[in-house]
Amino acid sequence: MFLYIVRRIFQTIPVMIGVTLAVFLMMHLIPGDAAKIMAGENANPEQVEQMRENLGLNDPLYEQYFRFIGNAATGDLGNSIRTSRPVTQEIFDSRFWITVQLAIIGTALAVLFGLIAGIISATRKYSFADVSLMVIALFGLSMPNFWLGIMLIYLFSVNLGWLPVAGWGTWEHMILPAITLGTAGAAIIARMTRSSMLEVLDQDYIRTAYAKGVGDKLVIYKHGLRNALIPVVTVVGLQFGSLLGGAVVTETVFAVNGLGRLIIDSIRAHDFPMVQGTILVCAVLFVVVNTIVDISYRLLNKRVDLN
Amino acid sequence: MDHQPQIETMAVNPARPENSRALRWKSFYKKLAKNKAALAGAFIILVFALLAIFAPLIAPHNPSTFDLPNKLQPPSSDNWLGTDDKGRDILSRILYGSRISLVVGILSTILGALVGIILGIVSGYYGKWVDTLIMRICDVLLAFPGILLALAIVSVLGASTTNVIIAVAFYAIPTFARIVRGSTLTVKKLEYIDAIKAMGARDTRIIFRHILPNIMSPIIVQSTLYIASAIITASALSFLGMGTKPPTPEWGTMLAQGRSYVAQAPHLTIFPGLVILLVVVGFNLFGDGLRDALDPRSKK
Amino acid sequence: MNLTKEDKILEVKNLCTSFFTDEGEVKAVDGVDLSIEKGKTLGIVGESGSGKSITSLSILRLLQEPAGRIKEGEVIFKGEDLVKKTKKQMREIRGNNISMIFQEPMTSLNPTLTCGEQIAESIRIHQKLNKKKAWAKAVDMLKLVGIPSPEKRAKQYPFELSGGMRQRVMIAISLACNPELLIADEPTTALDVTIQAQILELIKNLQKELGTSLMIITHDLGVVAEMCDKVAVMYCGKVVEYADVKTIFTNPKHPYTIGLLNSVPKHDEDVEGDLSIIPGSVPNPFHLPEGCRFAPRCPHAKEICLTKLPHLEETFDGDKVRCWIHSEEWEKQGKAVNAHE
């Protein structure tokens, strides 16, 4: 097991190298002169040259890349062009934590409601409850989350006045964004749990449990759910990632000052170091979370050990 | 039961191989036709396809004509779904918008699927370092969660409808490559592939004649489902101002513009969102139905 | 021999179990009568689809409802009809009074629970022992079924054990609460030949030791010869022959039984001749033949066989057979209809 964990962590190295390379190359793939774009339309040639010099764009590519990783490893992702503050400071002062908080609450909601709905559905196959839950899940999955966010604001903030329209700080601020962010995930987890549970309940060992005289509830929760959850765990990890992405949209709708808005604002302002830094941080976070999920999957599913 | 004596083993006789493909298609159609949800999905897709094609004929108004005195009007007999902040007819804009959403959704899926299929087959068929390289690239692409990859690409290329197609297609590549690689590996292991190889068939022939037809079902299912999420991603990009630019009628941009008026004129946001929901439900229903019908494991 | 009712631990009367699918009803078990005497072994033999497994699942009411349902009949266990029991009453019987071993040791054990936990579970449910005592009993059971270093094995997961070991664990689970009746559904089919003999030997010895009655379901006549006192041969949901094990092998009466016996290769005969094969295949369960269900494949079938279903009749030596050949009507019939030339 320990060996597996070490190997799994080592496996992330090529991905991390690829991610940094891709993020690094972003700036060089910009059609036209990146320095000119970043310096702004009204910049004179000296300013553009100064920008180029600051970003080190005159050095050979490989040298630039090694400097990029070297700096990134020490926590230096360059300075924002817009605010001139260090990128890492902009990210980690508060925005990163807000987005992570949002993603965690969203994931928790998605897991909670997804699991409950999936179990209810699977244990009452083809019942009214099952069909309604699966229709709701289909709609949850098919709904653009930015639209859901706007509709929630319209209903709960504008019409009913129960919750704040925008911003971040108190728990009341978190409710609507978390629902907005978690809905699609809940739908996916519900569908996944249902099908996994149905498959498991069809297995021979479930029949063995019944043959032992185990009651329905115990068969479903002890024998069924434990096995059904194994594939669901991987989905939860992937969901955290897409929630991280979904946060971009949600933060825009609810005017939450997280990483998502930072990316959008930075793209608009052609603040490339900022864009690079934020995307890099998100990708690394996602890789880390997925690695943790993979390891816990192993812990849950002891059978995989054989292979 | 015929009374002709046949000498056969007592076990249930295996399906004759020459019939199996025809039988499979027959049972596929039967299952699909029985699946009411899948038919509903197909119907929704068809209706939207027709609306998109005939939008200029059906649309009651010009989608781009400003009519400022008539702005933010609620639904009426003249403007069935009301007017937006510039007095444009929302129904007409939605109809024209379906063209962009469907084209972007379908084109990006085809583009991404094609590249993904090629990479997946090459990876699964040739294995070794090619496989490792392609799969590592896929890992890297998948490390950018959700819409972030598309945003990164748009931030480099600039915001436009074409770039949205490219950006959304990119995310499809690793998804398809992984599925196709898995299926290719399974098919490659079948004994008859070895037999064909032994008879001296060229790689391209094996790939196109034998492997590709055998892995089509997961590709078809995945494509249908991917179109659904592609439509959502594309409209999200436009909503964020990173996709199709206003004044082009597009559902995501309509939502972005209508947002500010949600208190006084909610119809600006309700209708375009409902339409996205409906189309995506259509593709998801149809995709789910295809999967059930193509899955050999689902007997009932 | 005359048996009083008390000697029978289980009596199945006119059991009918059907599956309801989109294409229609499948009468998987269609009027089966069986009984098992205390401490004795009954074998049920037949090909796949003959209804032998469904019979055993029906006895324990383990069918996948609502698709599969007992339509009529009685299952009398110790004088009480199991078909009429409530769900809760059935739970108290399962694993306690009657237990079952399944065919696939690979998939019949829960992959996420240790072997010990799986044995202890049924002990805790039925004997209300605490965790520690149940675990100790589970380890004892593993020892009883001949698993070396049982303390260590109890803590292992099923994937860590071989197929034969897993089937031993299954046996331990099923015998943990000293059941009066053990139903073994193809207990050795999925195992290697060498392991098969060991497992059969184990079941036989434990049966003797614990005095358990046994119902063994198999398609392997070797297993029948080795294990059983009585045998029921099933075909298409019906018992076609029901006899002592000796009679079945020395004087089989139903053409299907004869066919089955002839299709077993005999190692002691030095003949190069063909292995007999029963012509044709099992009829489509949705369209069963009107008369005798074996008639379309029977070399002796005559007109009456195709139109009228024979009853299960007792013959001179106590053997029960469902075939027209042994009736008085037979002589009045004309030529055989299936000419296999």
Side-chain angles (χ1 to χ4, degrees):
Chain A
M1 199 63 217
F2 177 73
L3 215 75
Y4 168 76
I5 295 174
V6 172
R7 210 175 56 215
R8 185 64 190 78
I9 290 169
F10 267 97
Q11 267 174 15
T12 61
I13 292 175
V15 178
M16 292 288 195
I17 292 173
V19 167
T20 50
L21 190 61
V23 169
F24 164 75
L25 284 177
M26 271 175 64
M27 179 130 34
H28 298 271
L29 291 171
I30 298 168
D33 187 347
K36 210 168 176 177
I37 294 169
M38 276 181 268
E41 279 162 28
N42 306 323
N44 56 40
E46 287 85 53
Q47 282 170 311
V48 173
E49 193 45 50
Q50 184 59 43
M51 174 69 75
R52 207 187 311 278
E53 195 54 45
N54 284 350
L55 292 168
L57 292 177
N58 289 328
D59 301 329
L61 211 54
Y62 66 91
E63 215 169 276
Q64 289 184 45
Y65 175 60
F66 285 123
R67 193 167 55 222
F68 178 74
I69 322 190
N71 288 342
T74 58
D76 174 13
L77 290 169
N79 290 328
S80 161
I81 292 169
R82 202 157 47 109
T83 64
S84 307
R85 291 179 63 206
V87 167
T88 38
Q89 245 180 52
E90 285 278 2
I91 292 174
F92 287 101
D93 264 1
S94 71
R95 289 168 178 271
F96 177 81
W97 307 108
I98 290 175
T99 300
V100 167
Q101 205 179 352
L102 185 57
I104 289 175
I105 300 171
T107 310
L109 276 184
V111 170
L112 185 71
F113 286 100
L115 278 184
I116 293 174
I119 294 167
I120 292 176
S121 260
T123 50
R124 294 175 180 72
K125 199 178 164 192
Y126 301 137
S127 69
F128 178 74
D130 173 27
V131 174
S132 343
L133 281 172
M134 283 306 115
V135 169
I136 294 172
L138 174 70
F139 278 78
L141 186 77
S142 307
M143 209 178 285
N145 60 1
F146 49 97
W147 180 65
L148 175 64
I150 298 170
M151 291 295 109
L152 289 174
I153 291 177
Y154 176 64
L155 190 65
F156 291 103
S157 311
V158 176
N159 269 359
L160 298 170
W162 290 354
L163 295 164
V165 173
W168 193 252
T170 66
W171 63 270
E172 282 139 322
H173 285 106
M174 299 180 188
I175 297 176
L176 294 184
I179 294 175
T180 304
L181 195 54
T183 300
I188 290 169
I189 291 173
R191 283 160 59 114
M192 184 81 195
T193 308
R194 178 180 186 268
S195 68
S196 168
M197 193 77 181
L198 284 178
E199 206 176 308
V200 165
L201 290 180
D202 227 25
Q203 297 291 315
D204 289 346
Y205 55 80
I206 295 296
R207 194 179 53 188
T208 307
Y210 279 120
K212 283 197 283 193
V214 180
D216 287 341
K217 280 227 169 72
L218 211 57
V219 170
I220 288 168
Y221 294 105
K222 187 170 166 191
H223 294 267
L225 193 58
R226 210 189 265 215
N227 285 287
L229 279 184
I230 293 166
V232 177
V233 172
T234 22
V235 179
V236 173
L238 293 175
Q239 275 316 304
F240 182 81
S242 60
L243 257 60
L244 219 51
V248 178
V249 181
T250 312
E251 287 170 11
T252 309
V253 173
F254 291 95
V256 176
N257 273 319
L259 289 183
R261 276 190 93 194
L262 183 61
I263 294 181
I264 300 293
D265 292 345
S266 307
I267 294 176
R268 289 214 179 101
H270 299 294
D271 187 351
F272 278 98
M274 201 69 237
V275 176
Q276 280 180 309
T278 323
I279 289 181
L280 183 65
V281 166
C282 286
V284 169
L285 178 64
F286 184 39
V287 171
V288 168
V289 168
N290 258 338
T291 308
I292 294 171
V293 166
D294 268 9
I295 291 171
S296 48
Y297 177 83
R298 255 322 156 98
L299 290 171
L300 251 170
N301 187 8
K302 303 200 172 64
R303 273 173 303 177
V304 191
D305 257 351
L306 269 188
N307 311 325
Chain B
M1 191 67 207
D2 68 358
H3 290 214
Q4 281 300 310
Q6 301 164 300
I7 301 300
E8 266 180 21
T9 51
M10 284 174 57
V12 183
N13 59 328
R16 292 193 180 80
E18 67 265 28
N19 285 344
S20 68
R21 183 166 290 176
L23 268 175
R24 223 163 53 199
W25 280 109
K26 213 178 139 195
S27 91
F28 163 66
Y29 283 127
K30 241 172 93 183
K31 276 189 204 159
L32 198 60
K34 253 201 212 159
N35 190 330
K36 290 194 194 81
L39 290 182
F43 178 74
I44 294 172
I45 296 170
L46 191 73
V47 167
F48 272 99
L50 291 175
L51 289 179
I53 293 168
F54 297 110
L57 298 175
I58 305 166
H61 297 271
N62 183 318
S64 311
T65 311
F66 285 14
D67 183 6
L68 290 172
N70 212 3
K71 67 177 182 181
L72 301 175
Q73 288 304 306
S76 66
S77 59
D78 193 39
N79 304 99
W80 288 3
L81 301 181
T83 59
D84 70 3
D85 56 319
K86 309 278 187 327
R88 294 169 296 196
D89 180 46
I90 291 180
L91 175 62
S92 307
R93 289 182 71 73
I94 286 179
L95 286 172
Y96 274 90
S98 63
R99 299 182 138 193
I100 292 182
S101 284
L102 286 184
V103 167
V104 170
I106 294 170
L107 264 188
S108 59
T109 304
I110 293 177
L111 203 68
L114 271 182
V115 179
I117 290 167
I118 293 170
L119 289 179
I121 288 187
V122 167
S123 188
Y125 189 78
Y126 293 103
K128 299 195 183 114
W129 66 269
V130 184
D131 182 29
T132 315
L133 179 70
I134 292 175
M135 283 303 116
R136 286 302 143 261
I137 292 173
C138 287
D139 287 346
V140 171
L141 286 177
L142 287 171
F144 298 94
I147 202 172
L148 283 181
L149 180 68
L151 271 180
I153 293 168
V154 170
S155 74
V156 169
L157 298 179
S160 75
T161 308
T162 320
N163 292 341
V164 167
I165 296 178
I166 295 171
V168 177
F170 249 94
Y171 200 65
I173 294 173
T175 318
F176 279 92
R178 281 189 163 184
I179 293 172
V180 170
R181 173 179 176 270
S183 312
T184 307
L185 283 177
T186 318
V187 176
K188 204 176 92 174
K189 277 195 206 116
L190 298 178
E191 274 162 27
Y192 85 97
I193 298 286
D194 282 339
I196 297 164
K197 251 191 202 162
M199 277 154 59
R202 273 178 298 131
D203 286 351
T204 46
R205 188 183 156 80
I206 293 175
I207 287 172
F208 285 103
R209 284 292 305 274
H210 299 284
I211 291 185
L212 205 52
N214 270 306
I215 60 175
M216 276 323 278
S217 352
I219 293 175
I220 292 168
V221 172
Q222 192 57 41
S223 305
T224 316
L225 294 175
Y226 194 82
I227 293 175
S229 60
I231 289 174
I232 292 187
T233 311
S235 63
L237 285 173
S238 299
F239 175 78
L240 294 171
M242 300 292 146
T244 306
K245 288 283 189 193
T248 315
E250 199 274 349
W251 297 339
T253 45
M254 288 174 75
L255 280 168
Q257 290 167 335
R259 243 186 99 191
S260 341
Y261 305 96
V262 71
Q264 70 259 47
H267 63 273
L268 260 65
T269 38
I270 292 176
F271 295 120
L274 271 182
V275 172
I276 300 177
L277 174 64
L278 196 61
V279 179
V280 175
V281 162
F283 278 103
N284 275 330
L285 276 177
F286 189 56
D288 285 348
L290 281 176
R291 182 178 48 209
D292 290 345
L294 287 169
D295 185 357
R297 284 186 311 165
S298 68
K299 275 167 244 132
K300 206 196 111 93
Chain C
M1 50 186 154
N2 257 334
L3 291 166
T4 52
K5 232 189 169 124
E6 289 84 275
D7 290 315
K8 291 182 181 168
I9 183 105
L10 181 86
E11 211 176 351
V12 175
K13 291 182 189 163
N14 190 31
L15 181 71
C16 296
T17 301
S18 285
F19 284 87
F20 297 89
T21 69
D22 288 349
E23 277 110 296
E25 181 185 349
V26 177
K27 292 179 176 175
V29 178
D30 192 5
V32 163
D33 296 285
L34 297 167
S35 62
I36 301 175
E37 293 147 33
K38 229 173 210 162
K40 294 286 163 78
T41 301
L42 170 75
I44 301 186
V45 190
E47 327 172 34
S48 43
S50 62
K52 54 191 194 318
S53 289
I54 306 300
T55 305
S56 62
L57 291 174
S58 301
I59 292 170
L60 268 184
R61 303 240 317 261
L62 284 173
L63 298 161
Q64 290 257 356
E65 289 182 39
R69 219 170 58 217
I70 298 176
K71 276 174 60 192
E72 349 173 7
E74 293 171 81
V75 177
I76 312 287
F77 177 71
K78 296 205 295 183
E80 289 176 62
D81 188 359
L82 297 186
V83 178
K84 294 203 179 75
K85 297 263 180 205
T86 62
K87 266 183 124 176
K88 190 163 174 282
Q89 287 170 322
M90 272 318 290
R91 278 212 301 272
E92 280 158 15
I93 289 169
R94 288 182 198 139
N96 192 22
N97 303 97
I98 308 179
S99 31
M100 196 159 173
I101 306 173
F102 296 100
Q103 179 172 356
E104 285 289 339
M106 297 300 177
T107 53
S108 293
L109 291 172
N110 189 330
T112 49
L113 296 175
T114 61
C115 298
E117 282 173 298
Q118 297 189 53
I119 302 169
E121 187 177 30
S122 105
I123 297 169
R124 285 177 65 192
I125 290 171
H126 297 297
Q127 304 187 342
K128 312 275 184 265
L129 291 182
N130 66 27
K131 223 172 175 172
K132 218 173 148 191
K133 281 185 179 153
W135 182 267
K137 178 104 196 272
V139 174
D140 286 347
M141 285 311 296
L142 285 176
K143 203 190 256 163
L144 185 72
V145 296
I147 289 182
S149 48
E151 285 90 0
K152 194 183 124 216
R153 291 293 182 181
K155 286 185 202 129
Q156 286 183 325
Y157 289 88
F159 72 85
E160 296 170 273
L161 272 58
S162 68
M165 281 295 168
R166 281 188 233 187
Q167 199 59 310
R168 283 173 195 266
V169 172
M170 269 305 292
I171 294 169
I173 292 174
S174 62
L175 295 178
C177 299
N178 267 323
E180 286 123 294
L181 174 64
L182 176 64
I183 301 176
D185 185 357
E186 306 256 13
T188 56
T189 307
L191 302 173
D192 288 346
V193 185
T194 46
I195 312 290
Q196 285 186 7
Q198 291 175 17
I199 294 290
L200 288 176
E201 198 59 32
L202 174 71
I203 295 176
K204 213 171 162 181
N205 291 339
L206 288 173
Q207 182 194 10
K208 227 180 270 169
E209 201 172 310
L210 305 169
T212 320
S213 311
L214 181 63
M215 176 167 156
I216 194 157
I217 289 145
T218 181
H219 63 272
D220 184 345
L221 289 164
V223 172
V224 172
E226 176 87 8
M227 307 281 292
C228 302
D229 302 302
K230 277 206 154 204
V231 186
V233 179
M234 281 188 73
Y235 187 77
C236 288
K238 288 198 176 288
V239 174
V240 294
E241 184 159 4
Y242 189 34
D244 282 341
V245 70
K246 253 194 204 132
T247 322
I248 284 281
F249 284 97
T250 54
N251 191 9
K253 297 188 182 59
H254 196 284
Y256 177 64
T257 316
I258 296 167
L260 274 182
L261 286 165
N262 284 340
S263 61
V264 177
K266 293 183 183 65
H267 307 289
D268 48 347
E269 281 173 24
D270 207 20
V271 196
E272 284 271 308
D274 296 327
L275 199 61
S276 283
I277 289 167
I278 302 178
S281 54
V282 183
N284 181 337
F286 294 106
H287 308 287
L288 289 172
E290 222 172 280
C292 171
R293 284 167 189 183
F294 188 60
R297 299 169 73 186
C298 181
H300 312 293
K302 295 186 177 180
E303 203 53 46
I304 188 170
C305 305
L306 296 175
T307 51
K308 276 180 81 180
L309 186 72
H311 294 288
L312 195 63
E313 307 272 9
E314 197 159 323
T315 59
F316 62 96
D317 53 359
D319 188 351
K320 287 181 184 164
V321 187
R322 191 188 288 278
C323 182
W324 288 116
I325 289 190
H326 306 282
S327 72
E328 284 150 19
E329 258 108 320
W330 191 249
E331 300 308 321
K332 300 175 204 156
Q333 294 296 310
K335 278 200 323 203
V337 286
N338 291 347
H340 294 290
E341 284 311 318

